[in-house]
Amino acid sequence: MAESRADSDVYVVEPLLPQRLRRPSDLLRFFATLIVLGAVILLALVAKQTLIGLEADVKVGTELVPLLPRIAAFLGGAAVLIVPAAFAVERVFHRDGLRVAEGLIAAIIGMAGSFLLGQWLVAGNVNDLRVLLTGDRTIEPLNTLLTSVIAYATAVRISRRPTWRMLMWTTIALYILAFFSGRQITIPSAIVTVLVGMAIGYATLYSVGSPNTRPPGSAVVAALRKLSFSPVSARRIEDDHQGSRRYAIGLQDGTSLDVTVLDRDRQVAGLPYRLWRRFRLNSETRRKAIRSLRAELEREALMAYAAQAAGASTPRLLGTSEIGTEAALLAYEHIETRPLDDVPDEEIDDDLLAQIWEQVELLRIQRLAHRRLTGDSIHLDRAGRVVLTDARSGEIAAGDLLLRLDVAQLLTYLSLRIGPERSVRAASNVLGPDALAAAIPLLQRIALTRETRSALARDKNLLPAIRDQIVALKPQGKAEEVRLERFRPRTLVTIIASTFAAYILFSQLSRVDLYKVVTTANWGWAGLALVASFVSFVAAALMLRGFVPEPLPLWRTVLVQFAASFVKLVAPPAVGGVAINTRYLQKRGISPSSAVASVGASQLIMLVFHIALLLLFAYITGSTTTTAFSPSRGLVLVLLALALLVVLVLGVPPLRRMVTARMRKLFTNVLPRLLDVLQSPRKMIEACLGTLMITISFVACLDACVAAFGGELSFTAVAVVFLTANAIGSAAPTPGGLGAVESALAVGLSVAGLEPGLALSAVLLYRLLTFWLPVLPGWASFTYLQRNEAL
């Protein structure tokens, strides 16, 4: 700690402020520049022909006026050196040489980095990118001089000086125009050079840090004096949850102030999280991700004044002021309080709960949403009265959704402390059952604060318990479902994986001559493969019938399996079939628990058969000398892969929890269901026969597809390839395992000894017969079953 003299009689006790800071804004600008750089390169690769045409037009134009490129090159080259040098001289005269030194470091890194990157591209490592940046001419892919100048201008923050900024970018534009007209640089190269220079400049700024421009405590005291306060002491206290500085100020009349200082460089702190929430959640539940210092000051002040006008017990806002151009302050009256987080659970009585909900009701009446009703924003003064703090998180003129979110958040926090029953009862006594019923759809983890979500991870049954308590108060209460999330992270992962899978698939298709595939295929074998594909649906129906003691019609059950193939278009393969079959059994009058148990039993036995057949066929392949599948090695690799998967699942807690939760849901009551099946020999035979037929029919289909293109491979080798690829496809998050299955099958068949082009042709025919072709009858089956209320 250090003491800094603020005036002739006031000392500010605060930690020594660092001389330099790594500003989050520089890091964010660096990543934003990289994202823009990637987007520019992708767009340029797509629009390559347009850029080539533009360069041809420029070449014709420069031939008509041959002296213009030389004049522009001389002027641009001179100006692009003179302007940075003049700015450096001006800064040195103002004793700001350190900034110039930072700029020179960035310039050196920019020149060296662009040169090395250019040499790497010239060496032919990425030929398409090299041609894009050079136009296939003998020029630099990245202009080293321009890169260093841009890096220098970025590092010295020339953009904050309007006159110099305009002069700098004018000379850069002239330089680019001159070199472009002289065909010494391409448009993509110019844009990429500028972006690389900016990225290096921002990276340098963040690495070496920037001078700390935050006003010290003495400036805070001086600003308070201008507001007619008379400070006699000042002490830095713990920062608030958003990282803003806080000071305890003693006044001459014996009273105190709590001062919050908003620093400009902290305005982007937490920006990625806020942007993620803004992107992920619907509009009314999000706040503006980026605000200026002035806007943040006005927002917090307005919320504080509105809460006072509503009669809520909050610290009074006594004054606001800017502290230069880099910070602003808000001065609140000081109230001796302690946060609710520090109050033991046994001291939270019914009177205290009533006070808390009464304060929330005062805000609700005036349409004020607090947005952060947690234990660190609800305080108790010395008399035991409730005081609400942290007004900067709130919203004025809030909609119904935000007001209901406040209720849901406070209900959840208090339930974590005192239990759902007491929390709901106390809220009902103040707000009434209707207000609580309206909050039921918002009792979602995503709607709560980050701290509350973390606490809920230890008590996953709390939210359902709160809902049950509310429903018990108002059984007839109905509230519309509220969808807060635009999408779930799992959806985003699926989209990315699907895009990647599609890219892989299309890249594979580009290497296949489809005309040759169609004309050279033996369609007798293809017909046999089609029959094997159809048999797999009958086998799936037999398997399901075998695990359900109740009678099921065969052909309607076959239609259900076709419907499941249609659902695979929008769901991972291991999910769509389970959901369709479970729904079908429930519609047949089977209880939900028994339906889930039957499907779970079939999946469990299917998994056992899958592993057993994989080991069996791998062993048989290992003892055969008529194939080049490298059998024993394949068996070892399969076992090692399975062992690695088990270790990974058991060793990573999130994966372990996810798998155990899913397995628990899927296989609940599975053992009793299996015992029911074992009591009927006919059912047991039907279940085992169907399970075995599914695998054999798929292997036969793939084997026939290989034979259709003249491939020769043992049935056991094809079986090992199929079983391995099927496991990979089941784990893939893409619909139907798209991309993952094709890649795994093609690689497996190639390793087994097939020529890669032939292997890919066989795989594409196999996927056509087993995945794409059943979609149309699957859609018809799905529609028919829904119309007849079978699904």
Side-chain angles (χ1 to χ4, degrees):
M1 302 293 288
E3 294 186 352
S4 60
R5 193 174 181 83
D7 210 282
S8 59
D9 56 349
V10 179
Y11 290 87
V12 181
V13 181
E14 66 178 346
L16 285 173
L17 297 178
Q19 294 297 313
R20 304 183 70 79
L21 294 172
R22 287 189 173 92
R23 300 178 184 272
S25 56
D26 293 330
L27 184 61
L28 289 173
R29 290 188 177 101
F30 169 72
F31 284 118
T33 305
L34 292 184
I35 292 172
V36 173
L37 178 62
V40 166
I41 291 175
L42 289 176
L43 289 174
L45 289 172
V46 172
K48 185 187 299 184
Q49 296 302 321
T50 303
L51 294 173
I52 292 174
L54 180 61
E55 289 202 12
D57 295 339
V58 171
K59 179 181 178 181
V60 173
T62 54
E63 290 175 351
L64 298 177
V65 189
L67 291 179
L68 182 60
R70 298 182 181 181
I71 297 173
F74 174 76
L75 294 177
V80 84
L81 293 175
I82 292 172
V83 172
F87 181 82
V89 172
E90 190 260 353
R91 285 293 88 198
V92 170
F93 272 116
H94 285 82
R95 298 182 179 180
D96 196 10
L98 189 58
R99 180 182 300 189
V100 176
E102 294 169 0
L104 291 176
I105 292 174
I108 294 171
I109 296 174
M111 180 168 289
S114 61
F115 174 77
L116 293 175
L117 185 58
Q119 291 299 309
W120 181 71
L121 291 172
V122 169
N125 292 285
V126 186
N127 192 58
D128 288 345
L129 186 57
R130 179 190 63 80
V131 173
L132 177 69
L133 298 180
T134 63
D136 216 11
R137 301 192 297 271
T138 310
I139 59 176
E140 290 182 312
L142 298 178
N143 189 290
T144 53
L145 175 60
L146 185 58
T147 305
S148 60
V149 169
I150 295 292
Y152 168 86
T154 303
V156 298
R157 299 190 187 276
I158 206 170
S159 59
R160 295 188 176 182
R161 306 284 299 280
T163 302
W164 285 102
R165 180 180 64 218
M166 180 187 68
L167 190 59
M168 186 77 256
W169 283 106
T170 300
T171 58
I172 289 173
L174 181 62
Y175 180 87
I176 292 174
L177 176 63
F179 271 67
F180 179 65
S181 60
R183 305 190 75 240
Q184 296 301 306
I185 197 172
T186 64
I187 292 179
S189 175
I191 298 174
V192 169
T193 297
V194 170
L195 291 173
V196 168
M198 292 174 64
I200 292 174
Y202 288 129
T204 304
L205 277 176
Y206 187 75
S207 299
V208 304
S210 303
N212 188 355
T213 57
R214 296 178 182 177
S218 57
V220 175
V221 171
L224 290 172
R225 290 187 180 279
K226 292 180 181 179
L227 291 173
S228 301
F229 295 108
S230 302
V232 294
S233 66
R235 178 172 55 90
R236 175 86 174 269
I237 57 178
E238 185 180 356
D239 295 350
D240 67 12
H241 73 280
Q242 295 188 16
S244 299
R245 289 182 288 159
R246 297 172 63 229
Y247 291 85
I249 308 293
L251 301 180
Q252 193 171 13
D253 60 3
T255 59
S256 300
L257 297 176
D258 289 329
V259 175
T260 299
V261 177
L262 309 178
D263 293 302
R264 185 181 299 277
D265 63 85
R266 292 292 305 172
Q267 293 307 110
V268 297
L271 178 62
Y273 176 75
R274 296 199 300 272
L275 287 174
W276 168 248
R277 296 277 290 184
R278 181 182 177 89
F279 178 58
R280 183 181 174 188
L281 301 184
N282 285 320
S283 59
E284 196 175 0
T285 66
R286 68 189 187 208
R287 300 184 305 168
K288 190 173 182 181
I290 305 175
R291 282 191 178 89
S292 66
L293 177 66
R294 183 75 183 180
E296 190 67 23
L297 174 67
E298 293 174 348
R299 180 179 181 277
E300 182 170 347
L302 183 59
M303 183 63 190
Y305 288 135
Q308 293 173 25
S313 178
T314 60
R316 286 192 305 129
L317 179 63
L318 302 178
T320 61
S321 174
E322 290 187 339
I323 313 175
T325 60
E326 297 299 319
L329 67 80
L330 300 100
Y332 293 91
E333 67 171 337
H334 174 71
I335 305 174
E336 287 291 339
T337 63
R338 57 172 176 161
L340 191 60
D341 277 342
D342 294 343
V343 177
D345 293 350
E346 55 271 15
E347 293 184 21
I348 303 178
D349 56 22
D350 291 344
D351 179 63
L352 177 56
L353 293 173
Q355 284 192 63
I356 295 172
W357 284 110
E358 285 167 1
Q359 292 297 317
V360 173
E361 179 66 3
L362 288 173
L363 296 180
R364 283 167 48 84
I365 291 172
Q366 297 298 319
R367 313 294 297 181
L368 302 177
H370 189 281
R371 300 299 305 278
R372 189 176 169 78
L373 290 170
T374 59
D376 60 356
S377 62
I378 302 173
H379 287 234
L380 302 182
D381 64 13
R382 289 181 174 179
R385 291 188 297 266
V386 173
V387 178
L388 299 182
T389 63
D390 201 10
R392 67 188 302 186
S393 300
E395 298 279 356
I396 65 169
D400 289 337
L401 184 59
L402 295 182
L403 299 179
R404 292 158 63 191
L405 281 171
D406 267 358
V407 176
Q409 164 60 35
L410 186 55
L411 272 174
T412 306
Y413 170 76
L414 292 177
S415 297
L416 286 166
R417 297 291 304 275
I418 60 172
E421 192 274 332
R422 284 188 62 199
S423 175
V424 171
R425 185 177 68 243
S428 177
N429 291 338
V430 177
L431 304 183
D434 290 334
L436 298 188
I440 289 179
L442 298 172
L443 289 168
Q444 309 174 33
R445 284 176 54 87
I446 190 64
L448 308 175
T449 63
R450 194 184 308 189
E451 298 83 357
T452 307
R453 293 200 302 271
S454 299
L456 279 175
R458 298 186 293 271
D459 190 354
K460 298 182 182 295
N461 297 321
L462 184 68
L463 292 181
I466 298 174
R467 296 189 193 103
D468 292 341
Q469 291 293 332
I470 297 174
V471 170
L473 287 175
K474 193 175 178 61
Q476 289 78 30
K478 290 186 178 181
E480 292 184 5
E481 182 180 352
V482 177
R483 182 176 177 83
L484 297 177
E485 294 179 283
R486 295 180 184 276
F487 61 89
R488 296 183 178 182
R490 185 186 306 170
T491 306
L492 187 61
V493 172
T494 300
I495 293 173
I496 295 173
S498 300
T499 304
F500 182 70
Y503 172 77
I504 294 176
L505 182 59
F506 286 131
S507 65
Q508 293 173 338
L509 286 172
S510 64
R511 301 196 299 268
V512 176
D513 186 347
L514 294 179
Y515 175 77
K516 184 178 179 180
V517 168
V518 173
T519 55
T520 59
N522 185 328
W523 291 105
W525 282 109
L528 181 60
L530 179 62
V531 172
S533 175
F534 175 77
V535 170
S536 69
F537 291 97
V538 178
L542 291 174
M543 181 184 71
L544 182 63
R545 279 165 46 99
F547 287 102
V548 179
E550 295 82 2
L552 295 177
L554 176 61
W555 293 112
R556 174 159 289 196
T557 309
V558 172
L559 292 180
V560 172
Q561 308 315 308
F562 273 104
S565 70
F566 168 67
V567 176
K568 285 181 183 179
L569 282 176
V570 292
V575 176
V578 170
I580 286 290
N581 285 324
T582 304
R583 179 67 174 169
Y584 168 63
L585 295 182
Q586 292 179 20
K587 284 290 188 177
R588 295 291 302 179
I590 300 172
S591 66
S593 59
S594 297
V596 173
S598 295
V599 176
S602 67
Q603 294 295 310
L604 178 60
I605 298 302
M606 185 71 182
L607 176 63
V608 173
F609 267 72
H610 191 100
I611 296 174
L613 289 173
L614 179 59
L615 296 176
L616 173 64
F617 284 122
Y619 175 78
I620 295 174
T621 304
S623 61
T624 302
T625 58
T626 59
T627 176
F629 186 64
S630 186
S632 57
R633 188 189 311 158
L635 177 59
V636 172
L637 287 176
V638 169
L639 293 175
L640 288 177
L642 290 175
L644 179 62
L645 181 62
V646 171
V647 170
L648 182 65
V649 171
L650 296 180
V652 180
L655 285 177
R656 184 173 64 247
R657 287 194 296 268
M658 180 184 71
V659 171
T660 54
R662 290 190 176 184
M663 296 292 283
R664 189 182 300 115
K665 290 180 180 178
L666 186 60
F667 297 132
T668 301
N669 300 324
V670 164
L671 185 57
R673 205 61 168 171
L674 286 176
L675 294 176
D676 291 340
V677 173
L678 291 175
Q679 293 177 4
S680 173
R682 187 182 65 82
K683 285 287 184 182
M684 185 176 62
I685 294 173
E686 190 174 25
C688 293
L689 180 62
T691 305
L692 183 62
M693 281 179 58
I694 291 178
T695 301
I696 297 301
S697 59
F698 278 126
V699 174
C701 180
L702 180 60
D703 188 57
C705 291
V706 170
F709 294 97
E712 294 183 3
L713 207 60
S714 69
F715 187 84
T716 55
V718 174
V720 172
V721 171
F722 165 77
L723 291 167
T724 305
N726 190 57
I728 295 174
S730 298
T734 56
L738 188 64
V741 172
E742 287 84 356
S743 300
L745 285 174
V747 171
L749 292 176
S750 299
V751 171
L754 286 185
E755 188 270 325
L758 189 152
L760 184 57
S761 300
V763 169
L764 292 178
L765 177 59
Y766 168 78
R767 288 293 274 174
L768 173 66
L769 297 177
T770 59
F771 182 75
W772 295 108
L773 199 59
V775 168
L776 186 58
W779 170 78
S781 300
F782 187 83
T783 305
Y784 170 80
L785 293 170
Q786 277 197 322
R787 188 182 302 119
N788 289 273
E789 298 185 354
L791 283 181

